[in-house]
Amino acid sequence: MNKRRGFLYGMLCLAIASFVSAQEKAEVIINADLGTQTISRHIYGHFSEHLGRSIYGGLWVGEDSSIPNTNGVRNDVIKALKQIKIPNLRWPGGCFADEYHWMDGIGPRSERPKMINTHWGGVVEDNSFGTHEFLNLCELLETEPYICGNMGSGTVEEMSKWVEYITFDGESPMANLRRENGREKPWQVKFWGVGNENWGCGGNMSPAGYAENYRRYATYCRNYGDNRLFKIAGGPNVDDYRWTETLMKNIPRGMMNGLSLHYYTFADSWTNKGNATGFDDNEYFRTLENAVHMDELLTRHSAIMDQYDPEKRVELVVDEWGAWYNVEPGTNPGFLYQQNTLRDAILAGLTLNIFHSHADRVKIANIAQMVNVLQAIILTEGEQMVLTPTYHVFDMYKVHQDAVLLPADVRCGTYDRLERSLPAISVTASKDKDGAIHLSFVNIDPANDIEITCPVRGAGNNKITSSQIITGENVRTYNTFAQPEKVKLAAFKGASYKNGELRFKLPAKSLVTIELK
Ligand code: AHR
């Protein structure tokens, strides 16, 4: 049943749609007492690479900057990130990770060597943001660091020493070097990536070649003291199922805790990414169609993993996902800077709902990327900062972190375009540790409101304690530095909850989350 769930995503609503009299109505049945899986908070993770203005300008401005900062990191960004409770942050790449030599990024900043960032615009990387700066930032944000080590151009020794430098508490060359650089106590680092996209920018390896290398590198990533590494293997590109199968077959259980998967959504394809703004309704439809392909990918990769790991000891780690469009006109093509519209908020809602529905295998995910790159949640320009529509989804959805997933049965109509159909709504629900139930609804239809009838079985005598909405004038609406609140999180009025049944009109092109307590 589980294996087929992903394919059913599209099929279920389509099949049932014929029983629903009008597209503008939907019935959702929530079983509040039947949850078994926990939604790992780590699927709400983020990613910041040395790419464009993600780190430099976006996060790091240096202690001497006129932009208000804490130890060199912008205060406005820190405040915004704390608000959404980011559970983990992946760094330093991406493709950059397999060219990064961590020793260049420690010690006095003025003495750190410079390098060329060959992947991303050929700009000079001065290494002023390195291991200490990153781990101190994670402490400030109260988030778990997720470090991606260099397998592509680095040695086993180099990766091994990085782990020792960060996590060893005793007397050793690397621990002593860390102390010389001002950090007495080790940091705790759990999530450790062994290379990135090693089928491509991370070394152009074959799956068997990578698996063999993984075993060597992972062997020397040691657990020091009470630090326990959670080792993540560089996984497949999109639908490369052979890669998944080869790694699952050739890496012994216990050596690999997670297997990464990367999937980006284009408005059309890699060679025709489309624009971040000014798209038409057909492009909107195609983008969402591409986004929900995630469900099939998770289903099929999980099915392979199930064959080799029925106990689900290896987690599927979607450590790069999000929308990838053409860069904003006039910006450096290597910097991947794009705007972010209500379409992206809807895409994020759909994707997070899909992750929830795969909570048994998908336990970590990282949207790409946090600031100023691809589907960013934050954009900056000099001292200005703006929160994107996608940011507000992470804010709205934080209530689902570590909550128990509740089964949801959705009977809805479709949003049709190009002679194709997508289910018009997507729903997810969870119960948190205090018993509060949160129901999140996404209406992808840009024109039609949908009347929702939602019996919440087994919920007891609850009341609506909060309702929030994200919407905008149209799906192309976005926030700018001059108009930062065109798409924002707002109170939602109009829902009623009587006799265990929730009723409300879900506005066109919106995301709504309702809390019952
Ligand atoms: O996120 C941008 C790039 O996309 C990453 O560096 C790489 O891993 C992926 O191809």
Side-chain angles (χ1 to χ4, degrees):
M1 180 65 181
N2 270 355
K3 287 178 196 160
R4 297 186 57 219
R5 180 185 44 199
F7 297 114
L8 290 180
Y9 175 81
M11 301 303 293
L12 185 68
C13 271
L14 286 180
I16 292 170
S18 51
F19 299 108
V20 177
S21 52
Q23 178 179 331
E24 295 79 10
K25 283 190 169 48
E27 188 184 17
V28 179
I29 301 169
I30 303 293
N31 287 296
D33 49 0
L34 294 184
T36 53
Q37 295 293 334
T38 296
I39 299 166
S40 161
R41 70 179 182 284
H42 288 294
I43 65 160
Y44 288 88
H46 292 264
F47 170 37
S48 207
E49 179 169 8
H50 288 241
L51 192 179
R53 295 185 300 113
S54 175
I55 301 281
Y56 299 111
L59 282 169
W60 178 257
V61 286
E63 286 107 340
D64 301 332
S65 171
S66 59
I67 298 174
N69 66 83
T70 304
N71 304 330
V73 181
R74 346 179 21 132
N75 288 346
D76 50 359
V77 173
I78 292 173
K79 185 170 169 228
L81 294 175
K82 284 195 125 175
Q83 161 70 17
I84 59 170
K85 297 191 187 335
I86 75 168
N88 71 74
L89 178 56
R90 181 172 182 253
W91 172 86
C95 293
F96 180 79
D98 281 290
E99 277 197 312
Y100 181 61
H101 299 284
W102 68 270
M103 282 201 170
D104 294 346
I106 55 171
R109 282 191 207 108
S110 58
E111 292 169 24
R112 295 183 192 175
K114 295 182 171 48
M115 66 181 281
I116 307 167
N117 192 333
T118 53
H119 280 292
W120 306 120
V123 294
V124 173
E125 161 66 55
D126 71 1
N127 278 306
S128 50
F129 189 89
T131 302
H132 290 246
E133 289 78 10
F134 172 66
L135 292 169
N136 291 343
L137 168 64
C138 290
E139 284 186 341
L140 207 59
L141 295 174
E142 295 172 76
T143 195
E144 297 248 21
Y146 170 6
I147 290 184
C148 186
N150 178 350
M151 178 198 266
S153 69
T155 61
V156 175
E157 180 187 8
E158 183 182 1
M159 196 185 290
S160 169
K161 283 182 166 169
W162 202 5
V163 175
E164 180 189 325
Y165 183 90
I166 295 170
T167 62
F168 186 56
D169 200 9
E171 275 285 314
S172 84
M174 289 301 109
N176 291 345
L177 184 58
R178 183 192 68 234
R179 290 187 191 99
E180 275 169 37
N181 288 329
R183 173 79 184 200
E184 177 57 37
K185 282 280 150 208
W187 291 276
Q188 291 271 318
V189 172
K190 181 175 169 191
F191 302 123
W192 194 272
V194 182
N196 168 76
E197 295 195 352
N198 304 89
W199 39 263
C201 65
N204 285 305
M205 301 179 196
S206 68
Y210 174 77
E212 202 57 28
N213 270 302
Y214 176 90
R215 293 161 64 135
R216 285 181 64 224
Y217 280 74
T219 298
Y220 298 97
C221 293
R222 305 286 191 196
N223 288 324
Y224 294 109
D226 58 0
N227 193 70
R228 289 286 164 275
L229 293 175
F230 181 100
K231 295 174 199 165
I232 300 168
N237 184 25
V238 190
D239 55 0
D240 185 351
Y241 301 113
R242 189 172 70 104
W243 185 280
T244 296
E245 173 123 40
T246 310
L247 266 54
M248 291 303 292
K249 205 186 272 179
N250 293 315
I251 301 175
R253 289 301 77 75
M255 275 197 93
M256 163 171 72
N257 306 102
L259 175 69
S260 125
L261 166 69
H262 290 180
Y263 176 59
Y264 285 98
T265 299
F266 312 113
D268 189 24
S269 59
W270 171 251
T271 48
N272 181 19
K273 298 190 180 70
N275 292 332
T277 58
F279 47 88
D280 64 19
D281 283 354
N282 287 344
E283 218 170 323
Y284 170 70
F285 180 87
R286 285 204 310 272
T287 309
L288 298 189
E289 202 176 36
N290 288 342
V292 299
H293 180 55
M294 178 70 88
D295 191 43
E296 179 178 329
L297 294 173
L298 299 182
T299 303
R300 296 184 65 177
H301 284 293
S302 297
I304 296 167
M305 294 172 82
D306 284 348
Q307 282 173 34
Y308 295 90
D309 174 37
E311 303 88 12
K312 299 187 195 290
R313 289 167 64 198
V314 182
E315 299 180 1
L316 191 51
V317 178
V318 191
D319 51 16
E320 290 189 28
W321 69 270
W324 189 326
Y325 308 118
N326 298 324
V327 298
E328 286 302 301
T331 64
N332 187 329
F335 281 15
L336 310 187
Y337 177 78
Q338 66 191 39
Q339 249 298 353
N340 192 293
T341 63
L342 180 58
R343 169 179 65 172
D344 298 301
I346 289 171
L347 185 158
L350 292 178
T351 306
L352 292 167
N353 289 1
I354 292 170
F355 290 159
H356 288 190
S357 70
H358 289 270
D360 57 341
R361 183 67 84 173
V362 178
K363 309 262 185 196
I364 306 174
N366 303 77
I367 188 168
Q369 299 193 8
M370 196 161 74
V371 191
N372 290 334
V373 171
L374 299 177
Q375 193 174 347
I377 57 166
I378 294 172
L379 301 176
T380 67
E381 189 60 70
E383 63 185 16
Q384 303 183 90
M385 181 196 82
V386 66
L387 305 176
T388 69
T390 303
Y391 173 92
H392 296 299
V393 181
F394 278 81
D395 197 5
M396 181 194 250
Y397 269 54
K398 67 187 179 211
V399 291
H400 295 298
Q401 292 190 17
D402 283 340
V404 173
L405 178 70
L406 302 179
D409 208 351
V410 182
R411 295 161 184 238
C412 64
T414 56
Y415 169 49
D416 306 328
R417 200 98 211 156
L418 299 165
E419 298 180 358
R420 301 196 292 268
S421 299
L422 284 171
I425 68 165
S426 166
V427 184
T428 196
S430 69
K431 192 191 272 186
D432 72 14
K433 62 175 178 8
D434 301 320
I437 295 171
H438 296 100
L439 306 106
S440 294
F441 301 81
V442 184
N443 180 0
I444 70 168
D445 191 319
N448 294 303
D449 300 344
I450 297 175
E451 287 289 349
I452 304 284
T453 307
C454 179
V456 187
R457 292 183 183 152
N461 230 352
N462 284 331
K463 288 194 181 67
I464 295 178
T465 40
S466 106
S467 317
Q468 297 180 310
I469 184 165
I470 299 167
T471 190
E473 210 173 300
N474 60 61
V475 292
R476 287 163 280 278
T477 306
Y478 57 94
N479 296 334
T480 62
F481 299 110
Q483 291 186 295
E485 297 205 332
K486 291 190 96 175
V487 181
K488 63 178 183 190
L489 192 56
F492 176 64
K493 302 206 169 60
S496 72
Y497 185 66
K498 278 189 206 122
N499 304 323
E501 190 166 278
L502 186 63
R503 283 176 175 269
F504 64 100
K505 191 186 279 180
L506 180 62
K509 42 155 173 62
S510 76
L511 300 97
V512 165
T513 292
I514 296 174
E515 179 182 80
L516 301 176
K517 245 197 256 183

